Amino acid sequence: ATSPDVTQSFILKHEMPPLPSGSQWAVVWEYDASAEEWTRGMIAIQLESRPFASGALRSAYKLTTKMNPTLYTQAFYRDQHSQYEEGKKLNLRKLPRLFGPVDSTYVAKLSKTTVSFERYFEDVKMQMMCREYGIRYTANSPPKPVDFLSAWVIEVQADKGDHKLYGLEMYIDGEFKKLNSNFGSVFGDRNTPQSFSHFSYEASAHELIIVDIQGVDDHYTDPQIHTKDGEGFGAGNLGEKGMKKFIESHKCNPICIQLELPPIGIDLNDSRNMTRVIRGTMMLPDLKPDLDPKLDI
Ligand code: ATP
Ligand code: MG
Ligand code: ZN
């Protein structure tokens, strides 16, 4: 099968701890971006029945965890071949660090239209890959760290023995903002998101770029990757055309310069420009807030 198979058989096959009252079981899939591997576990959840928000494609529901997730198996869903295989090992271990404590609030995202199961796995994989780029960006000591929310796929039982998939991630309190689009638009005057997109382009040796930056402060979610060959990552992957749109609209800012990214949109061979960028007198979107972490916007 190209999509992982489902829950009930898993629950039946394994001895489960007692279900906390008022909750239901869900299978949770975690993606390890460096091993390119999916691992499956069980978690007790409470899922609200009405969405609290929605985007163009998905509705977002609040979800609370009622038990520490437990990982029962590993090495299942080898994504190079999009093949689902039962793992050889049967391990009982906690999901690593990524999950918050019991009773944490999460967001479960359900597609508004019928999409393949694969879509959910692809989206989570994309976000977890972006998370790795966020970690690499932050390792270069920019003024503010970038943190992509960890994401999972969960599988819950629905009516008539059916099951449903959702994307899952931590609920973030605060004002949710879109900071750039997948077609060259820039929203607001923050530097960090624009420099992060530029960073992803350089750090991948121009193989990809991460755009559609959105979230609360610099906790990002729901990104889009454009790849050089336009393959994978859903309909939002606009390939070279999307990359070109970013490059045409991007102007390097002081963070790009601090990170020594090859300049886009300004000629740094002209030493006057370098001075202007550093002094903040270059005609650029205003960047002060990102340079001084104490100043907030
Ligand atoms: P788009 O319209 O960008 O294609 P989408 O339909 O895929 O988006 P998301 O953007 O992931 O869906 O989520 C929809 C809405 O839910 C967001 O605009 C935001 O208001 C809210 N939301 C999403 N993720 C979170 C989160 N982690 N914490 C709090 N609110 C969130
Ligand atoms: Mg969105
Ligand atoms: Zn730049």
Side-chain angles (χ1 to χ4, degrees):
T2 51
S3 293
D5 198 4
V6 205
T7 327
Q8 293 96 316
S9 62
F10 189 68
I11 294 177
L12 293 176
K13 255 198 320 215
H14 302 286
E15 222 172 277
M16 305 303 295
L19 187 62
S21 68
S23 58
Q24 65 178 125
W25 288 119
V27 168
V28 55
W29 293 87
E30 186 173 82
Y31 185 69
D32 178 336
S34 41
E36 297 184 23
E37 211 166 75
W38 290 93
T39 310
R40 179 171 68 171
M42 295 298 295
I43 189 168
I45 58 161
Q46 251 170 31
L47 180 59
E48 290 188 355
S49 56
R50 281 164 209 272
F52 72 93
S54 70
L57 304 171
R58 298 181 290 180
S59 303
Y61 298 78
K62 284 192 186 167
L63 179 153
T64 319
T65 51
K66 291 296 168 191
M67 192 185 78
N68 277 319
T70 314
L71 262 200
Y72 284 92
T73 49
Q74 57 179 200
F76 267 114
Y77 183 71
R78 279 246 150 228
D79 86 3
Q80 294 98 311
H81 315 293
S82 278
Q83 284 290 325
Y84 172 69
E85 280 169 27
E86 193 72 27
K88 289 198 182 62
K89 280 190 194 161
L90 195 65
N91 272 5
L92 185 64
R93 62 181 173 93
K94 294 276 188 283
L95 277 172
R97 55 200 187 299
L98 303 180
F99 264 93
V102 170
D103 278 324
S104 295
T105 304
Y106 293 79
V107 181
K109 297 182 181 180
L110 179 67
S111 182
K112 291 176 168 179
T113 57
T114 309
V115 296
S116 66
F117 277 13
E118 210 88 60
R119 185 76 257 123
Y120 287 92
F121 285 84
E122 284 265 300
D123 281 346
V124 165
K125 178 183 155 185
M126 175 155 64
Q127 192 159 322
M128 291 304 269
M129 284 177 64
C130 294
R131 186 175 160 80
E132 296 292 309
Y133 277 93
I135 291 167
R136 284 168 71 184
Y137 172 88
T138 302
N140 284 281
S141 312
K144 290 182 177 175
V146 155
D147 169 44
F148 277 87
L149 301 180
S150 292
W152 299 268
V153 177
I154 58 164
E155 202 179 300
V156 301
Q157 298 198 39
D159 300 339
K160 303 182 198 110
D162 224 355
H163 55 266
K164 256 181 177 170
L165 298 194
Y166 295 80
L168 184 72
E169 64 194 36
M170 275 282 185
Y171 175 83
I172 305 288
D173 237 335
E175 195 186 346
F176 194 96
K177 286 184 186 162
K178 183 135 168 158
L179 302 161
N180 69 32
S181 79
N182 71 341
F183 207 54
S185 303
V186 172
F187 307 110
D189 57 6
R190 296 282 320 280
N191 276 342
T192 296
Q194 316 312 334
S195 289
F196 171 74
S197 289
H198 185 181
F199 173 85
S200 69
Y201 181 64
E202 303 302 340
S204 68
H206 302 182
E207 286 295 317
L208 59 80
I209 190 163
I210 300 174
V211 291
D212 235 346
I213 306 296
Q214 57 191 296
V216 175
D217 299 323
D218 294 310
H219 301 289
Y220 299 152
T221 180
D222 189 27
Q224 180 62 52
I225 295 180
H226 296 315
T227 58
K228 209 161 125 186
D229 60 9
E231 298 285 321
F233 307 116
N237 178 359
L238 304 177
E240 292 224 354
K241 200 171 154 202
M243 290 185 173
K244 193 162 161 254
K245 275 283 171 189
F246 177 84
I247 291 162
E248 281 170 6
S249 65
H250 180 68
K251 282 200 176 64
C252 278
N253 64 55
I255 301 177
C256 300
I257 291 167
Q258 187 200 318
L259 300 179
E260 298 180 0
L261 302 177
I264 295 176
I266 44 170
D267 178 10
L268 287 184
N269 289 326
D270 181 338
S271 61
R272 285 166 306 175
N273 282 348
M274 178 64 103
T275 313
R276 285 181 193 130
V277 171
I278 289 167
R279 286 200 187 133
T281 52
M282 187 84 186
M283 292 299 282
L284 291 168
D286 184 9
L287 313 177
K288 281 250 166 65
D290 276 350
L291 288 176
D292 183 355
K294 288 187 293 292
L295 281 172
D296 233 322
I297 52 170

